Amino acid sequence: MVQPKKAVYFFCTGSADPVAGPVLDELRREYPLEETALSLDGNPVLEYRDQEGNTFSFVRTGRVVSHDYTAYLPLMTGHFADRDFAGIITWHEGHNAPDGILTAHTTGDVDSGSFGPADPESMRNLLLAMEKFRLEENLTEFRVITEATHWSGMVCSECTPDMIPRYSVPLLDIEIGSSPPFWENRGAARVLARSLLSVFRGDGRKVQNILCAGGVHFEPAFSQAVFTIWDNCAYGVSHILANQWLVTGKYGDDSAREKLEACVRSIRGGISAIAFHDNLKGLYKDSLRALGAKYGLPVFKHQALRKPENIPWSQ
């Protein structure tokens, strides 16, 4: 018998977040969420149990959790350390950020080498569900993509990267982007709401976890890999180390080994291969090749992701 699992999701329902409130509204509209005895920020935690016995907790907060980790981290570790998966529902914006996106990213500060736990299989389940429900909603103006690993807590001067691994549960930011007309799209909110309950529902394929490095913040090569299948196998994409932070984090020098090993240790199930973007400079590729050599892993250019059957998998 499959052991039921637990997930927790955090929603800033104040005016600071234009996405979390509508997503929670759609959840409450479609599912019978029950109030629990636990209350945070003056709001009872809501709960739902699916037919498989999996439990989902929905936490309403007054501030965005990752923007005030000093306050919320003790609550997360105190009440939700036993979870198998966690997510922060929020919005995405930024200079030149693409519009019409449904996205998720792992938590980490690549510069310092501080990485939160990552669960590639659960992340894949979530992204596949987002695509399934996007099609059902006929949201042709949206696309489902991955985002490079980062931590939005860096916007807060009191938050420090060493806080990231203190929460031992795989944590994703789950977002709608990247401007008001898209944040306010109720169809997109329904897609996220339904997808949150599918995080433990896989398609039965063997997931080959890969560490992705290089490329841009929204790297198409790695986003597409999420939806690639072959011989009843699929890629498990989690931590994506964008080129900009490999440069500022000096991943071409001797400090790279410790940071990269910390990243690998944070990925549940380990990794079976390392994929780097072909435009990555040689010194960063060398660091990745050294990591692969140490663990006996294939290391290859991103173009090889298109032909997974030709990759000499380590396991």
Side-chain angles (χ1 to χ4, degrees), residues 161-269:
D162 64 290
M163 293 178 172
I164 298 171
R166 293 184 199 171
Y167 188 49
S168 60
V169 179
L171 174 66
L172 294 182
D173 277 19
I174 304 165
E175 306 170 348
I176 298 173
S178 294
S179 62
F182 297 90
W183 301 333
E184 297 162 6
N185 188 296
R186 277 287 171 169
R190 281 191 294 276
V191 168
L192 256 60
R194 294 167 181 165
S195 300
L196 299 181
L197 301 183
S198 297
V199 70
F200 300 131
R201 295 173 183 163
D203 58 6
R205 290 185 167 85
K206 179 181 179 180
V207 177
Q208 298 278 21
N209 296 342
I210 56 174
L211 173 61
C212 301
V216 295
H217 193 70
F218 293 97
E219 179 50 56
F222 302 143
S223 290
Q224 185 55 45
V226 172
F227 302 105
T228 301
I229 57 174
W230 74 98
D231 297 333
N232 205 37
C233 295
Y235 292 121
V237 177
S238 56
H239 284 313
I240 301 173
L241 314 182
N243 182 76
Q244 67 193 80
W245 290 310
L246 291 175
V247 173
T248 57
K250 300 181 180 179
Y251 277 71
D253 63 22
D254 292 341
S255 66
R257 183 179 67 178
E258 183 177 348
K259 294 176 181 178
L260 288 171
E261 290 185 2
C263 182
V264 172
R265 288 194 301 269
S266 73
I267 299 174
R268 286 190 174 177

Side-chain angles (χ1 to χ4, degrees), residues 276-298:
F276 61 78
H277 197 279
D278 194 23
N279 289 338
L280 199 61
K281 288 188 176 180
L283 70 167
Y284 307 113
K285 293 177 182 177
D286 289 343
S287 294
L288 295 165
R289 291 189 179 108
L291 179 71
K294 178 175 180 178
Y295 292 103
L297 300 172

